[in-house]
């Protein structure tokens, strides 16, 4: 398997799926639709919908029911980025080489387009009920998506992160932020893929455990790259955590211990896949590439 070629093909497939669910830019709500679509089309790794789709395939899923959930996952993720970039939070002018949404459409439309994407994601997910006879799976998947992205998941993690910005953090609080702000969306993606494919409850629980380790390892690797990478390689300024006095795994544990934690968690995640009946070599290689990435 040529991993990079396969990865590129899968990203193109996901882009087509996402594009098919975007709102029309017409009528009195044309402006907010344009802001929503601008943000989605700004690009990205499309990691979460890819993990969702590949977990779905791991458990033998082969229906179109996964497609609305993939698009919705990227909408929820993008909503969080729009709001993170706002002046009240990170006050960023650029993301992925493009002006941020509020810089193009204004702060008010930035807020509203983020809200609209979050709500529209659930409208899109509901369309999945017409694509399968297993509507019970659709409802359970939506329940997981709601819980993992709400105040007891992603939004909760973002809230605690904002509240403690610039303050000293202990390991327990840092773990809470990482487990919710970053890991919860990856858990939602992979659990949804398993649920929609008809995985057993015990298998979904194993996927949740693996996804949690993947999510935290992914975030710790971000911490490591901020120290060891270069601006050119990373595609954004390095040493920003130090400059902003941000507590990370590296500042708490040191570079060597943080790197070891990345390896430990990634190894634990991959062990889960070895215990499952199904196989998806691409998914396992994708996880390795995320953990070992240089940008």
């Amino acid at each position: 398997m040529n991993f990079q070629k396969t990865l590129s093909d899968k990203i193109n497939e996901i882009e087509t799926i996402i594009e098919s669910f975007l709102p029309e830019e017409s009528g009195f709500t044309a402006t907010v639709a344009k802001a929503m679509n601008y943000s989605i089309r700004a690009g990205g790794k499309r990691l979460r919908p890819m993990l969702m789709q590949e977990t779905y395939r791991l458990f033998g899923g082969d229906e179109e029911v996964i497609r609305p959930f993939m698009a919705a996952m990227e909408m929820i993720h993008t909503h969080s980025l729009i709001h993170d970039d706002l002046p009240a939070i990170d006050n960023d002018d650029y993301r992925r080489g493009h002006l941020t949404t509020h810089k193009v459409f204004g702060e008010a439309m930035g807020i509203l387009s983020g809200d609209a994407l979050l709500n529209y994601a659930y409208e899109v997910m509901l369309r999945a009920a017409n694509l399968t006879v297993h509507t019970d799976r659709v409802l359970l998947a939506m329940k997981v998506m709601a819980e993992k992205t709400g105040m007891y998941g992603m939004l909760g993690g973002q809230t605690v992160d904002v509240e403690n910005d610039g303050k000293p953090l202990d390991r327990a609080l840092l773990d809470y932020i990482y487990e919710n702000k970053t890991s919860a969306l990856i858990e939602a993606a992979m659990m949804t893929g398993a649920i929609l494919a008809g995985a057993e409850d015990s298998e979904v629980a194993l996927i949740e455990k693996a996804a949690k380790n993947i999510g935290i390892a992914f975030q710790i690797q971000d911490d490591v790259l901020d120290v060891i990478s270069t601006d050119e390689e990373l595609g954004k300024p390095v040493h920003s955590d130090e400059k902003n006095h941000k507590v990370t795994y590296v500042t708490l544990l040191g570079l060597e211990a943080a790197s070891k934690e990345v390896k430990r968690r990634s190894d634990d995640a991959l062990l889960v896949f070895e215990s499952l009946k199904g196989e998806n070599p691409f998914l396992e290689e994708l996880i390795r590439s995320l953990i070992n990435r240089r940008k």
Side-chain angles (χ1 to χ4, degrees):
M1 178 181 63
N2 184 328
F3 176 73
Q4 289 301 326
K5 173 66 166 61
T6 305
L7 178 65
S8 177
D9 290 344
K10 288 179 182 290
I11 290 173
N12 289 336
E13 178 191 0
I14 291 168
E15 294 288 1
T16 301
I17 291 170
I18 293 170
E19 189 71 28
S20 71
F21 288 99
L22 294 183
E24 292 185 10
E25 299 175 7
S26 60
F28 290 119
T29 58
T31 303
V32 73
K34 286 177 182 177
M36 293 162 70
N37 294 343
Y38 171 84
S39 307
I40 289 281
R41 289 169 178 155
K45 298 181 180 73
R46 306 309 191 199
L47 168 62
R48 290 152 191 85
M50 187 178 296
L51 287 170
M52 181 186 289
Q53 185 177 48
E54 294 306 319
T55 306
Y56 182 68
R57 289 170 172 165
L58 172 68
F59 288 100
D62 63 355
E63 293 183 314
E64 290 192 2
V65 66
I66 194 69
R67 292 173 170 244
F69 278 90
M70 292 168 64
M73 171 54 72
E74 198 65 12
M75 290 172 188
I76 292 171
H77 175 54
T78 302
H79 131 267
S80 73
L81 301 181
I82 293 172
H83 283 182
D84 269 355
D85 290 337
L86 288 168
I89 302 182
D90 290 341
N91 195 25
D92 284 328
D93 292 346
Y94 289 91
R95 179 176 289 277
R96 298 170 181 151
H98 300 276
L99 284 169
T100 48
T101 308
H102 73 273
K103 295 301 291 186
V104 176
F105 294 91
E107 188 174 351
M109 198 55 64
I111 294 169
L112 291 169
S113 62
D115 291 344
L117 270 175
L118 181 59
N119 194 84
Y120 188 61
Y122 287 92
E123 296 177 49
V124 168
M125 276 186 271
L126 279 168
R127 298 184 198 178
N130 296 322
L131 300 174
T132 180
V133 297
H134 302 291
T135 53
D136 56 326
R137 296 178 188 174
V138 172
L139 290 174
L140 181 55
M142 290 187 69
K143 180 175 182 290
V144 167
M145 290 282 278
E147 290 174 351
K148 292 291 184 181
T149 61
M151 66 174 292
Y152 298 111
M154 176 191 69
L155 290 171
Q158 288 178 313
T159 300
V160 174
D161 190 27
V162 169
E163 280 187 320
N164 291 278
D165 186 36
K167 298 178 183 177
L169 303 178
D170 59 21
R171 175 76 177 270
L173 193 55
L174 189 62
D175 280 345
Y176 179 88
I177 293 169
Y178 283 16
E179 286 170 12
N180 289 278
K181 185 176 181 180
T182 302
S183 179
L185 269 193
I186 292 176
E187 292 168 36
M190 297 184 72
M191 289 172 71
T192 292
I195 289 166
L196 291 174
E200 300 289 337
D201 290 348
S202 58
E203 293 172 318
V204 175
L206 284 172
I207 289 296
E208 181 178 23
K209 177 184 175 184
K212 180 177 180 178
N213 278 319
I214 293 165
I216 295 175
F218 183 85
Q219 184 59 56
I220 299 172
Q221 183 68 0
D222 262 3
D223 299 345
V224 171
L225 291 177
D226 188 67
V227 175
I228 68 171
S229 191
T230 64
D231 290 8
E232 293 75 20
E233 191 172 28
L234 200 57
K236 61 182 180 180
V238 295
H239 306 301
S240 60
D241 292 335
E242 182 183 356
K243 292 171 188 172
N244 296 325
H245 307 291
K246 192 173 182 66
V247 177
T248 69
Y249 258 73
V250 173
T251 60
L252 272 184
L253 305 180
L255 184 60
E256 184 179 355
S259 297
K260 286 181 178 177
E261 184 69 5
V262 171
K263 186 178 187 308
R264 183 187 72 80
R265 287 187 176 274
S266 57
D267 287 347
D268 286 352
L270 289 167
L271 280 173
V272 168
F273 294 102
E274 291 179 13
S275 70
L276 296 170
K277 290 176 288 186
E279 290 185 3
N280 186 335
F282 174 80
L283 176 58
E284 294 183 33
E285 188 61 28
L286 174 63
I287 291 165
R288 289 189 182 94
S289 75
L290 294 174
I291 305 308
N292 298 317
R293 74 193 192 283
R294 297 289 301 182
K295 60 181 181 179

